[in-house]
Amino acid sequence: MNWYRGKSIPRSLINSALIVLVIVLAVVLLQQRWRTTAHAPDSWQWVTCDVGQGDAHLIRTGQRSAYLLDTGDNFAALKDCLDWSGVQELDAVLITHAHHDHDGALHQVHHEYRQPPVFVSPHYLKAGEDLPTDHTAAAGQLASGMVFSAEAVATGTQGENNQPSGQVLWPPQQPQHIPGASGSSSWINNSSLVIRWVLPAREPGQRPLTVLTTGDLEADAAHRLLTDAAAQMPTDVLKIAHHGSAGSGTDLIIAANPSLALISVGAANSYGHPHQSILGFLQRSSIPTARTDQSGHLALTMNDQGIMLTSSG
């Protein structure tokens, strides 16, 4: 008796199908924890603001207060995010590096929000930009090995244990250790503050949330960072470097191994951000990704079910 023997399915095809299935499941699971609302939930721990082609992020410090990490260059868009998040007071402002899409609204923030203290890297002024005049002397400097906390801010929240803290992983104190020609655009990008944040649970049912912020760090600086701090990279959430440009590389994504990637980027921007090479890598790595150009402001909360994401758009 002759039996029909069909052709076996190639293993590569099976593997590809499994990868697609994993990606679909990851997206479905995230969407089940993703909703759009007119205001951020009261329980948010982190917000990435939609400020167009730029960066601005809020780290919750109190019922109506937060740290602001970068300002973008569109104050109206930033103010919309602050209002959406219910933030009325800024305990501190941190600027990752001296590019206009990260610090362009700093002067307006300074005047509108009771002159919060400003923290920068040691290389910020060397990059050719100035802080608001009355902040220059008081601004704190952050470099690799330092911890940013309420004690560093000294705004009346000293001694509280339920405040967020940030381990500064980059840049080094020595400017010659930063890749790129000194003062060039690439060098300024590579002088970006890289901070691993630990955000405490603020109410019953919440869990601490970790977020790695990377400014506009490029691949060569990321490689140097990882030689010294690879063990500190794993995190719940990764802010993709440099709006997802091809030059940001994938090393930080691999090392962070996040449960969620955030991309702060302007719709239809002229730079082609985020680049398909980065989006494709995130997809192949089964990392759910949220983008400000697609979803507006993004609020995050961690609980027993995982990361809950609420968007404004």
Side-chain angles (χ1 to χ4, degrees):
M1 181 179 295
N2 293 325
W3 293 92
Y4 172 77
R5 179 173 295 176
K7 294 182 179 179
S8 61
I9 300 174
R11 182 175 295 276
S12 59
L13 184 60
I14 295 175
N15 290 339
S16 297
L18 288 174
I19 291 172
V20 171
L21 178 60
V22 169
I23 292 170
V24 170
L25 288 174
V27 171
V28 169
L29 289 173
L30 178 63
Q31 288 177 339
Q32 290 176 350
R33 302 192 299 270
W34 190 333
R35 56 185 179 143
T36 300
T37 61
H39 300 283
D42 291 339
S43 58
W44 69 266
Q45 293 162 284
W46 176 277
V47 168
T48 288
C49 296
D50 177 14
V51 290
Q53 183 64 16
D55 263 27
H57 312 272
L58 298 171
I59 299 102
R60 187 73 168 269
T61 58
Q63 187 65 27
R64 298 293 179 187
S65 62
Y67 300 143
L68 174 63
L69 176 67
D70 284 338
T71 68
D73 61 2
N74 183 337
F75 180 74
L78 176 62
K79 182 64 165 58
D80 182 80
C81 179
L82 289 162
D83 292 345
W84 181 78
S85 306
V87 171
Q88 299 174 353
E89 182 176 352
L90 295 175
D91 290 334
V93 178
L94 297 88
I95 301 296
T96 58
H97 64 294
H99 273 157
H100 199 65
D101 59 332
H102 290 254
D103 69 356
L106 178 58
H107 286 264
Q108 289 169 286
V109 169
H110 169 73
H111 289 296
E112 294 289 334
Y113 286 89
R114 299 184 183 178
Q115 303 182 2
V118 179
F119 293 82
V120 297
S121 89
H123 313 298
Y124 182 84
L125 295 178
K126 293 180 183 179
E129 297 286 340
D130 292 327
L131 293 169
T133 303
D134 44 356
H135 271 177
T136 303
Q141 293 188 351
L142 302 172
S144 178
M146 300 179 68
V147 175
F148 181 83
S149 64
E151 285 73 13
V153 178
T155 59
T157 57
Q158 293 182 359
E160 294 187 20
N161 294 323
N162 64 336
Q163 290 298 309
S165 64
Q167 178 71 44
V168 183
L169 306 178
W170 185 270
Q173 287 278 1
Q174 299 80 7
Q176 65 271 24
H177 291 171
I178 298 173
S182 181
S184 67
S185 180
S186 182
W187 186 91
I188 295 171
N189 283 340
N190 286 330
S191 72
S192 293
L193 287 169
V194 176
I195 304 175
R196 187 180 187 274
W197 296 93
V198 178
L199 314 182
R202 305 195 62 85
E203 60 182 44
Q206 276 191 343
R207 289 172 50 196
L209 176 69
T210 58
V211 182
L212 181 65
T213 55
T214 54
D216 278 358
L217 205 69
E218 298 178 2
D220 46 1
H223 180 73
R224 293 192 186 185
L225 165 63
L226 291 174
T227 59
D228 296 325
Q232 296 170 284
M233 292 294 113
T235 186
D236 297 319
V237 179
L238 172 66
K239 200 289 292 189
I240 298 296
H242 202 187
H243 321 290
S245 73
S248 63
T250 58
D251 287 351
L252 282 176
I253 302 173
I254 295 170
N257 190 28
S259 298
L260 174 67
L262 300 175
I263 301 180
S264 184
V265 65
N269 65 86
S270 60
Y271 302 99
H273 297 161
H275 195 270
Q276 187 55 46
S277 62
I278 303 299
L279 295 177
F281 184 83
L282 290 167
Q283 185 180 51
R284 291 191 300 274
S285 302
S286 303
I287 300 173
T289 302
R291 297 165 47 172
T292 57
D293 62 329
Q294 295 178 341
S295 301
H297 313 312
L298 305 168
L300 306 182
T301 302
M302 176 69 92
N303 62 26
D304 291 338
Q305 284 72 51
I307 300 170
M308 302 294 165
L309 191 153
T310 304
S311 67
S312 66

